[in-house]
Coordinates of all heavy atoms in Angstrom, one line a residue:
N288 N -10.5 46.1 -41.4 CA -11.7 45.6 -42.0 C -11.6 45.4 -43.5 O -12.0 44.3 -44.0 CB -12.9 46.4 -41.6 CG -13.1 46.5 -40.1 OD1 -12.9 45.5 -39.4 ND2 -13.6 47.6 -39.6
Q372 N -17.2 59.5 -33.4 CA -17.1 60.2 -34.7 C -18.4 59.9 -35.5 O -18.7 58.8 -35.7 CB -15.9 59.8 -35.4 CG -15.6 60.6 -36.6 CD -14.3 60.2 -37.3 OE1 -13.9 59.1 -37.1 NE2 -13.8 61.0 -38.2
K373 N -19.0 61.0 -36.1 CA -20.2 60.8 -36.8 C -20.0 60.8 -38.3 O -20.9 60.5 -39.1 CB -21.2 61.9 -36.5 CG -21.6 61.8 -35.0 CD -22.5 63.0 -34.7 CE -22.8 63.0 -33.2 NZ -23.6 64.2 -32.8
E374 N -18.8 61.1 -38.8 CA -18.5 61.1 -40.2 C -17.2 60.3 -40.5 O -16.6 59.7 -39.6 CB -18.2 62.6 -40.7 CG -19.4 63.5 -40.5 CD -19.2 64.9 -40.9 OE1 -18.0 65.3 -41.1 OE2 -20.1 65.7 -41.1
D375 N -16.9 60.2 -41.8 CA -15.7 59.5 -42.2 C -15.7 58.1 -41.8 O -16.5 57.3 -42.2 CB -14.4 60.2 -41.8 CG -14.3 61.6 -42.4 OD1 -14.7 61.8 -43.6 OD2 -13.8 62.5 -41.8
E376 N -14.7 57.7 -40.9 CA -14.6 56.3 -40.4 C -15.6 55.9 -39.4 O -15.7 54.8 -39.0 CB -13.2 56.1 -39.8 CG -12.1 56.3 -40.8 CD -11.5 57.7 -40.7 OE1 -11.7 58.4 -39.7 OE2 -11.0 58.1 -41.8
M377 N -16.4 56.9 -38.9 CA -17.4 56.6 -37.9 C -16.8 55.9 -36.7 O -17.3 54.9 -36.2 CB -18.6 55.7 -38.5 CG -19.2 56.3 -39.7 SD -20.2 57.7 -39.4 CE -21.6 57.0 -38.5
A378 N -15.7 56.4 -36.3 CA -14.9 55.8 -35.2 C -15.5 56.0 -33.9 O -16.1 57.1 -33.6 CB -13.5 56.3 -35.3
K379 N -15.4 55.1 -33.0 CA -15.7 55.2 -31.6 C -14.4 54.9 -30.8 O -13.8 53.8 -31.0 CB -16.8 54.2 -31.2 CG -18.1 54.5 -31.8 CD -19.2 53.6 -31.2 CE -20.5 53.7 -31.9 NZ -21.1 55.0 -31.8
V419 N -10.7 51.2 -30.0 CA -11.1 52.0 -31.1 C -11.9 51.1 -32.0 O -11.4 50.0 -32.4 CB -9.9 52.6 -31.9 CG1 -10.4 53.4 -33.1 CG2 -9.0 53.5 -31.0
T420 N -13.1 51.5 -32.4 CA -13.9 50.8 -33.3 C -14.3 51.7 -34.4 O -14.8 52.8 -34.2 CB -15.2 50.3 -32.6 OG1 -14.8 49.5 -31.5 CG2 -16.0 49.4 -33.6
S421 N -14.0 51.3 -35.7 CA -14.3 52.2 -36.8 C -14.6 51.3 -38.0 O -14.5 50.1 -38.0 CB -13.1 53.1 -37.1 OG -12.1 52.5 -37.8
S422 N -15.1 52.0 -39.1 CA -15.4 51.2 -40.3 C -14.1 50.7 -40.9 O -14.2 49.7 -41.7 CB -16.2 52.1 -41.3 OG -15.4 53.3 -41.6
D423 N -13.0 51.4 -40.7 CA -11.7 50.9 -41.3 C -11.0 49.8 -40.5 O -10.5 48.9 -41.0 CB -10.7 52.1 -41.4 CG -11.2 53.1 -42.5 OD1 -12.0 52.7 -43.3 OD2 -10.7 54.2 -42.4
A424 N -11.0 50.0 -39.1 CA -10.2 49.1 -38.3 C -10.7 49.1 -36.9 O -11.4 50.1 -36.4 CB -8.7 49.5 -38.3
N425 N -10.4 48.1 -36.2 CA -10.7 48.0 -34.7 C -9.3 47.8 -34.0 O -8.5 47.0 -34.5 CB -11.6 46.8 -34.4 CG -12.9 47.0 -35.1 OD1 -13.5 48.1 -35.2 ND2 -13.5 45.9 -35.7

Side-chain angles (χ1 to χ4, degrees):
N288 298 330
Q372 187 181 22
K373 298 176 183 177
E374 297 179 347
D375 299 324
E376 295 92 25
M377 304 291 289
K379 293 184 186 299
V419 179
T420 305
S421 76
S422 58
D423 289 341
N425 299 319

